PDB file of all heavy atoms in Angstrom:
ATOM      1  N   GLN A 596     -20.757  35.497   9.140  1.00 91.00           N
ATOM      2  CA  GLN A 596     -20.219  34.583   8.125  1.00 91.00           C
ATOM      3  C   GLN A 596     -18.812  34.971   7.719  1.00 91.00           C
ATOM      4  O   GLN A 596     -17.899  34.138   7.719  1.00 91.00           O
ATOM      5  CB  GLN A 596     -21.114  34.597   6.881  1.00 91.00           C
ATOM      6  CG  GLN A 596     -22.391  33.819   7.061  1.00 91.00           C
ATOM      7  CD  GLN A 596     -23.175  33.698   5.764  1.00 91.00           C
ATOM      8  OE1 GLN A 596     -22.729  34.158   4.712  1.00 91.00           O
ATOM      9  NE2 GLN A 596     -24.335  33.093   5.842  1.00 91.00           N
ATOM     10  N   ALA A 597     -18.639  36.248   7.377  1.00 91.00           N
ATOM     11  CA  ALA A 597     -17.343  36.713   6.890  1.00 91.00           C
ATOM     12  C   ALA A 597     -16.258  36.493   7.946  1.00 91.00           C
ATOM     13  O   ALA A 597     -15.165  36.033   7.625  1.00 91.00           O
ATOM     14  CB  ALA A 597     -17.436  38.184   6.517  1.00 91.00           C
ATOM     15  N   GLN A 598     -16.590  36.784   9.212  1.00 92.00           N
ATOM     16  CA  GLN A 598     -15.602  36.609  10.281  1.00 92.00           C
ATOM     17  C   GLN A 598     -15.170  35.151  10.413  1.00 92.00           C
ATOM     18  O   GLN A 598     -13.984  34.854  10.546  1.00 92.00           O
ATOM     19  CB  GLN A 598     -16.192  37.048  11.625  1.00 92.00           C
ATOM     20  CG  GLN A 598     -16.504  38.521  11.708  1.00 92.00           C
ATOM     21  CD  GLN A 598     -17.275  38.839  12.985  1.00 92.00           C
ATOM     22  OE1 GLN A 598     -17.389  38.004  13.870  1.00 92.00           O
ATOM     23  NE2 GLN A 598     -17.788  40.053  13.055  1.00 92.00           N
ATOM     24  N   VAL A 599     -16.169  34.265  10.382  1.00 93.00           N
ATOM     25  CA  VAL A 599     -15.851  32.847  10.558  1.00 93.00           C
ATOM     26  C   VAL A 599     -15.017  32.332   9.385  1.00 93.00           C
ATOM     27  O   VAL A 599     -14.041  31.596   9.569  1.00 93.00           O
ATOM     28  CB  VAL A 599     -17.139  32.019  10.756  1.00 93.00           C
ATOM     29  CG1 VAL A 599     -16.836  30.538  10.697  1.00 93.00           C
ATOM     30  CG2 VAL A 599     -17.782  32.367  12.088  1.00 93.00           C
ATOM     31  N   LEU A 600     -15.384  32.759   8.167  1.00 94.00           N
ATOM     32  CA  LEU A 600     -14.616  32.332   7.000  1.00 94.00           C
ATOM     33  C   LEU A 600     -13.174  32.828   7.093  1.00 94.00           C
ATOM     34  O   LEU A 600     -12.232  32.102   6.793  1.00 94.00           O
ATOM     35  CB  LEU A 600     -15.269  32.853   5.717  1.00 94.00           C
ATOM     36  CG  LEU A 600     -16.544  32.119   5.315  1.00 94.00           C
ATOM     37  CD1 LEU A 600     -17.235  32.843   4.168  1.00 94.00           C
ATOM     38  CD2 LEU A 600     -16.242  30.677   4.931  1.00 94.00           C
ATOM     39  N   LYS A 601     -13.051  34.061   7.535  1.00 94.00           N
ATOM     40  CA  LYS A 601     -11.714  34.636   7.662  1.00 94.00           C
ATOM     41  C   LYS A 601     -10.894  33.823   8.663  1.00 94.00           C
ATOM     42  O   LYS A 601      -9.712  33.538   8.437  1.00 94.00           O
ATOM     43  CB  LYS A 601     -11.836  36.096   8.138  1.00 94.00           C
ATOM     44  CG  LYS A 601     -10.645  36.952   7.774  1.00 94.00           C
ATOM     45  CD  LYS A 601     -10.943  38.408   8.082  1.00 94.00           C
ATOM     46  CE  LYS A 601      -9.694  39.045   8.692  1.00 94.00           C
ATOM     47  NZ  LYS A 601      -9.996  40.160   9.561  1.00 94.00           N
ATOM     48  N   LEU A 602     -11.544  33.452   9.746  1.00 95.00           N
ATOM     49  CA  LEU A 602     -10.863  32.646  10.762  1.00 95.00           C
ATOM     50  C   LEU A 602     -10.402  31.308  10.186  1.00 95.00           C
ATOM     51  O   LEU A 602      -9.265  30.878  10.411  1.00 95.00           O
ATOM     52  CB  LEU A 602     -11.800  32.412  11.953  1.00 95.00           C
ATOM     53  CG  LEU A 602     -11.242  31.509  13.053  1.00 95.00           C
ATOM     54  CD1 LEU A 602     -10.083  32.171  13.769  1.00 95.00           C
ATOM     55  CD2 LEU A 602     -12.333  31.142  14.053  1.00 95.00           C
ATOM     56  N   ILE A 603     -11.287  30.678   9.423  1.00 95.00           N
ATOM     57  CA  ILE A 603     -10.924  29.382   8.839  1.00 95.00           C
ATOM     58  C   ILE A 603      -9.713  29.541   7.921  1.00 95.00           C
ATOM     59  O   ILE A 603      -8.755  28.763   7.977  1.00 95.00           O
ATOM     60  CB  ILE A 603     -12.118  28.773   8.075  1.00 95.00           C
ATOM     61  CG1 ILE A 603     -13.228  28.392   9.068  1.00 95.00           C
ATOM     62  CG2 ILE A 603     -11.686  27.543   7.289  1.00 95.00           C
ATOM     63  CD1 ILE A 603     -14.471  27.833   8.420  1.00 95.00           C
ATOM     64  N   LYS A 604      -9.755  30.592   7.109  1.00 95.00           N
ATOM     65  CA  LYS A 604      -8.655  30.835   6.175  1.00 95.00           C
ATOM     66  C   LYS A 604      -7.346  31.074   6.933  1.00 95.00           C
ATOM     67  O   LYS A 604      -6.295  30.523   6.595  1.00 95.00           O
ATOM     68  CB  LYS A 604      -9.001  32.064   5.311  1.00 95.00           C
ATOM     69  CG  LYS A 604      -8.023  32.334   4.187  1.00 95.00           C
ATOM     70  CD  LYS A 604      -8.135  31.275   3.127  1.00 95.00           C
ATOM     71  CE  LYS A 604      -6.956  31.297   2.174  1.00 95.00           C
ATOM     72  NZ  LYS A 604      -6.818  30.025   1.444  1.00 95.00           N
ATOM     73  N   GLN A 605      -7.471  31.879   7.982  1.00 94.00           N
ATOM     74  CA  GLN A 605      -6.305  32.211   8.798  1.00 94.00           C
ATOM     75  C   GLN A 605      -5.687  30.950   9.422  1.00 94.00           C
ATOM     76  O   GLN A 605      -4.486  30.750   9.396  1.00 94.00           O
ATOM     77  CB  GLN A 605      -6.813  33.124   9.905  1.00 94.00           C
ATOM     78  CG  GLN A 605      -5.833  34.065  10.523  1.00 94.00           C
ATOM     79  CD  GLN A 605      -6.574  34.816  11.635  1.00 94.00           C
ATOM     80  OE1 GLN A 605      -7.732  35.211  11.475  1.00 94.00           O
ATOM     81  NE2 GLN A 605      -5.916  34.979  12.765  1.00 94.00           N
TER      82      GLN A 605
END
Side-chain angles (χ1 to χ4, degrees):
Chain A
Q596 284 187 3
Q598 295 172 11
V599 170
L600 286 171
K601 204 171 139 207
L602 176 68
I603 292 178
K604 187 70 195 161
Q605 205 182 319

